Amino acid sequence: MVGRQIDAVEVLHQRPLRRHLPGADDFASRLAGQRIASAQRRGKYLWLPLDGGEALVAHLGMSGQLLVQPPGAEPERHLRARLSLADVELRFVDQRMFGWLTVDESDPPGLVDHIALDPLDPAFDADLVARRIRRSRAGVKRLLLDQTVASGIGNIYADEGLWLAGVHGERPGYQLSRKVVLELLAACAEVMSAALAQGGTSFDALYVNVNGESGYFERSLNVYGREGEACRRCGGPITRMSFANRSSHFCRRCQPVPRSVGRAQLAPRY
DNA sequence: ATCGCGACCTGGTTGC
DNA sequence: TGCAACCAGGTCGCGA
């Protein structure tokens, strides 16, 4: 996309533009005629800085896709918006519409101010993140999913990182040693690198890259989606449980459930 | 200030 | 076969 000019913008559904408060027409008119200067990402936020100084910002939510298609290609079932560039179309496709698009005033967009660096970023400060985790009484999985703590980690990679490090996701942050937290962050980075090398995790056609291609990391998952199957480290059964409105998968033997969970906790001392 | 829950959506799968 | 319930990879805002 970089270097190409946006000739026309078509918005096919209003909902993905809910974060663009001035509305779809404003969205389209701001983009038309602008050239895409680069492509950026922080955590799960994506943006394309424009030569006018603004930026097209996107978040894919759960089911969103950005696809690069030839202009004449058949419209996807859940096509929500399309940008026409010289010889291609950039399409936003989203079944569940938890994803969104907007044009932000600046680059980096103010919308990503609260998003922390991700574990693969060269500037990622593991010591800083470890301190933040160890100051919290929240369960460590919740903290891994908190994009203001570290970004890019979602439900799958949190479960995989926790398994790799042998840590249960309900262990409160303040109960973990600095060493264990650093091992956990390194484990998450390792999982993310391995997933990236295989094109990500694709359970179905919803999870594809800009060329519509699926990744193969599902084959390498150790706990996620493996309820009742054998732990690849100890042979014990993988447990699935509901946690904060979503599933957590872990090995009870390799990742012991903290005894104190569910009981009254003493406030942490610093 | 921090924490945990429900809301926001559509559609595919499962089980009665 | 039909229908309801459940499930899904993410935030975000609210009340406690």
Side-chain angles (χ1 to χ4, degrees):
Chain A
M1 296 293 99
V2 176
R4 287 182 167 88
Q5 179 176 303
I6 301 166
D7 296 322
V9 178
E10 189 182 358
V11 175
L12 296 130
H13 201 295
Q14 298 296 313
R15 187 148 295 278
L17 286 209
R18 66 193 176 281
R19 306 268 311 241
H20 192 79
L21 302 180
D25 291 344
D26 178 85
F27 174 81
S29 63
R30 271 173 198 269
L31 290 175
Q34 297 227 50
R35 201 179 59 89
I36 294 172
S38 67
Q40 306 292 331
R41 176 189 69 82
R42 187 185 300 170
K44 303 168 203 170
Y45 287 72
L46 313 163
W47 70 96
L48 300 174
L50 307 168
D51 56 6
E54 299 177 312
L56 168 61
V57 191
H59 195 295
L60 302 182
M62 300 259 273
S63 55
Q65 309 175 346
L66 283 172
L67 300 176
V68 176
Q69 292 281 44
E74 189 70 16
E76 291 76 5
R77 179 156 154 74
H78 302 294
L79 179 62
R80 307 304 187 191
R82 62 172 143 203
L83 278 59
S84 301
L85 296 97
D87 49 347
V88 291
E89 276 185 18
L90 179 59
R91 297 183 172 186
F92 183 70
V93 176
D94 192 4
Q95 180 205 107
R96 294 178 66 191
M97 294 188 290
F98 287 1
W100 47 262
L101 301 171
T102 188
V103 178
D104 195 286
E105 305 296 323
S106 57
D107 168 32
L111 271 171
V112 308
D113 282 351
H114 66 296
I115 302 298
L117 297 181
D118 70 75
L120 300 182
D121 193 302
F124 182 76
D125 186 343
D127 284 315
L128 187 74
V129 175
R131 259 180 273 143
R132 170 105 184 254
I133 288 174
R134 297 187 64 226
R135 267 193 281 120
S136 174
R137 335 164 40 152
V140 68
K141 178 171 177 183
R142 177 181 301 282
L143 295 166
L144 289 177
L145 294 175
D146 183 340
Q147 306 295 297
T148 70
V149 174
S151 66
I153 304 175
N155 200 39
I156 296 181
Y157 300 147
D159 278 2
E160 294 297 315
L162 287 162
W163 179 85
L164 199 56
V167 175
H168 194 283
E170 289 181 355
R171 297 275 301 277
Y174 72 87
Q175 281 187 2
L176 301 173
S177 70
R178 178 174 175 276
K179 178 167 175 280
V180 165
V181 175
L182 291 175
E183 284 167 4
L184 174 59
L185 293 173
C188 289
E190 193 177 323
V191 167
M192 290 165 77
S193 298
L196 197 53
Q198 295 183 61
T201 308
S202 303
F203 296 120
D204 54 39
L206 286 183
Y207 306 100
V208 296
N209 69 9
V210 290
N211 301 315
E213 297 157 349
S214 292
Y216 295 100
F217 192 66
E218 187 190 358
R219 298 172 189 178
S220 308
L221 295 175
N222 286 305
V223 278
Y224 191 90
R226 296 191 67 237
E227 181 182 18
E229 294 176 40
C231 171
R232 298 212 171 100
R233 193 160 43 207
C234 78
I238 299 301
T239 301
R240 170 175 172 267
M241 63 180 290
S242 192
F243 163 90
N245 268 347
R246 56 201 345 110
S247 298
S248 284
H249 306 75
F250 58 94
C251 169
R252 285 187 187 280
R253 253 193 266 177
C254 297
Q255 301 162 267
V257 182
R259 243 185 298 175
S260 51
V261 162
R263 298 203 198 152
Q265 298 266 341
L266 291 175
R269 298 263 170 91
Y270 308 124

